[in-house]
């Protein structure tokens, strides 16, 4: 199965899970379109303090290079295969989301451009504890290729905040994923996996803000999708709390091959109330 959730930190103590939507207003994996991805590696990871001033400087150098390449790719607007567009649309064409943290875009991963920075994020101890993809670039590449070369059931994306790549997302068709064997899936259910890269982006509520933004992007751009789902590791209390704060509700505990997960759901019906 895929990676498990990277820890996410919320701004408040985790609310009591509930099987019904809370009163308004109130991070794998488990499948991601391939047998090798987990569910929501998510949010603001602070479980393992990591990074130094030198690493932070390295982050800035990497993002300057990535930013130029991302801009070139967006200008070219290379279309995805028709099959992939039919399943999940094309996040490259989705508008940016204006959030309290800044303007956020999902940018489809390009292996040659993004492999180095994604590998470095996967080797962060706070991320590796849940995604279990630490190692050389070949490990990260082996996780990405089935998605990039597959039928479009899972789309790996960089999360770019105010022009800076700072997170990794997998948007996947949960109803077509192995996850669907473990819960009563509905047609067009769409799942998310998330990790926040770089220690400077953690511990300040960014995970919660971006989870809400990405869920809204999915619902706005995939009109047939009625629910956004995620399955963070049940032990990852900060991640579960971040989902709850982002308008998801706790639906059930599910036993997946690699973890016991909290099934989190954000319903289109309740999105304006949570």
């Amino acid at each position: 199965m895929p990676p498990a959730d990277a820890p996410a930190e919320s701004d408040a103590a985790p609310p009591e899970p509930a099987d019904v939507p809370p009163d308004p207003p109130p991070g794998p994996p488990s499948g991601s379109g391939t047998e090798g991805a987990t569910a929501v590696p998510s949010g603001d990871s602070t479980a393992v303090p990591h990074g130094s001033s030198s690493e932070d400087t390295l982050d800035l150098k990497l993002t300057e290079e990535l930013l130029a390449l991302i801009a070139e790719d967006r200008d070219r607007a290379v279309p995805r295969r028709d099959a992939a567009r039919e399943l999940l649309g094309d996040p490259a064409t989705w508008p940016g989301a204006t959030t309290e943290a800044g303007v956020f875009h999902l940018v489809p991963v390009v292996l040659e451009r993004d492999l180095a920075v994604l590998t470095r994020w996967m080797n962060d101890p706070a991320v590796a504890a849940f995604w279990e993809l630490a190692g050389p670039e070949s490990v990260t590449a082996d996780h990405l290729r089935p998605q990039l070369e597959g039928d479009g059931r899972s789309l790996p994306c960089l999360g770019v905040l105010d022009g800076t790549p700072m997170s990794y997302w997998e948007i996947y068709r949960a109803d077509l994923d192995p996850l669907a064997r473990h819960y009563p899936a509905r047609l067009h259910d769409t799942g998310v996996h998330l990790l926040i890269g770089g220690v400077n982006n953690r511990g300040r509520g960014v995970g919660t803000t971006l989870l809400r933004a990405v869920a809204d992007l999915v619902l706005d751009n995939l009109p047939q999708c009625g629910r956004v789902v995620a399955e963070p590791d049940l032990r990852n209390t900060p991640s579960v709390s971040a989902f709850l704060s982002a308008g998801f509700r706790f639906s059930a505990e599910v036993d997946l091959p690699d973890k016991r997960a909290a099934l989190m759901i954000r319903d289109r019906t309740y999105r304006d109330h949570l």
Side-chain angles (χ1 to χ4, degrees):
M1 304 296 289
D5 315 273
E9 176 175 312
S10 74
D11 300 322
E16 281 296 316
D19 289 324
V20 296
D23 293 334
S30 130
S32 63
T34 67
E35 291 289 346
T38 336
V40 183
S42 81
D44 298 293
S45 174
T46 56
V48 182
H50 172 258
S52 64
S53 57
S54 62
E55 288 181 327
D56 293 342
T57 301
L58 180 57
D59 279 338
L60 291 173
K61 290 178 181 177
L62 282 169
T63 57
E64 289 171 1
E65 296 169 3
L66 282 170
L67 185 55
L69 292 170
I70 287 169
E72 291 176 8
D73 284 348
R74 294 187 71 180
D75 289 342
R76 284 198 297 265
V78 178
R80 292 183 53 80
R81 297 186 307 278
D82 288 343
R85 285 202 302 272
E86 288 176 5
L87 290 176
L88 283 168
D90 186 359
T93 67
W94 296 357
T98 300
T99 76
E100 60 188 27
V103 178
F104 179 79
H105 288 89
L106 285 172
V107 177
V109 164
V110 175
L111 190 64
E112 296 77 9
R113 180 193 70 200
D114 303 325
L115 182 58
V117 69
L118 290 174
T119 298
R120 193 159 61 83
W121 290 348
M122 293 298 184
N123 279 279
D124 180 328
V127 172
F130 289 93
W131 282 76
E132 299 179 352
L133 290 173
E137 289 188 352
S138 59
V139 174
T140 302
D142 287 346
H143 177 73
L144 292 169
R145 281 197 186 96
Q147 300 178 75
L148 295 171
E149 298 172 2
D151 61 5
R153 296 184 189 190
S154 181
L155 305 179
C157 296
L158 284 180
V160 179
L161 186 63
D162 283 342
T164 299
M166 46 71 65
S167 54
Y168 170 68
W169 300 77
E170 291 171 353
I171 312 298
Y172 67 98
R173 278 288 295 269
D175 60 326
L176 303 177
D177 187 83
L179 175 64
R181 303 168 189 161
H182 302 277
Y183 84 105
R186 296 180 187 172
L187 190 63
H188 296 289
D189 275 358
T190 300
V192 294
H193 300 152
L194 159 69
L195 71 82
I196 300 292
V199 66
N200 286 343
N201 295 308
R202 301 174 188 158
R204 52 192 182 96
V206 173
T208 294
T209 298
L210 298 187
L211 280 169
R212 181 179 291 274
V214 168
D216 283 341
L217 284 172
V218 169
L219 294 172
D220 288 341
N221 291 281
L222 301 177
Q224 292 181 296
C225 171
R227 308 190 302 178
V228 181
V229 304
E231 9 67 78
D233 194 308
L234 190 63
R235 300 167 299 169
N236 191 348
T237 302
S239 179
V240 174
S241 181
F243 278 99
L244 290 169
S245 298
F248 287 73
R249 62 182 171 88
F250 177 88
S251 176
E253 294 183 12
V254 292
D255 286 311
L256 302 178
D258 58 343
K259 65 184 178 183
R260 187 163 181 79
L263 180 66
M264 311 299 297
I265 296 177
R266 186 161 188 218
D267 300 89
R268 180 183 293 277
T269 304
Y270 304 112
R271 64 183 294 196
D272 294 331
H273 304 290
L274 299 176

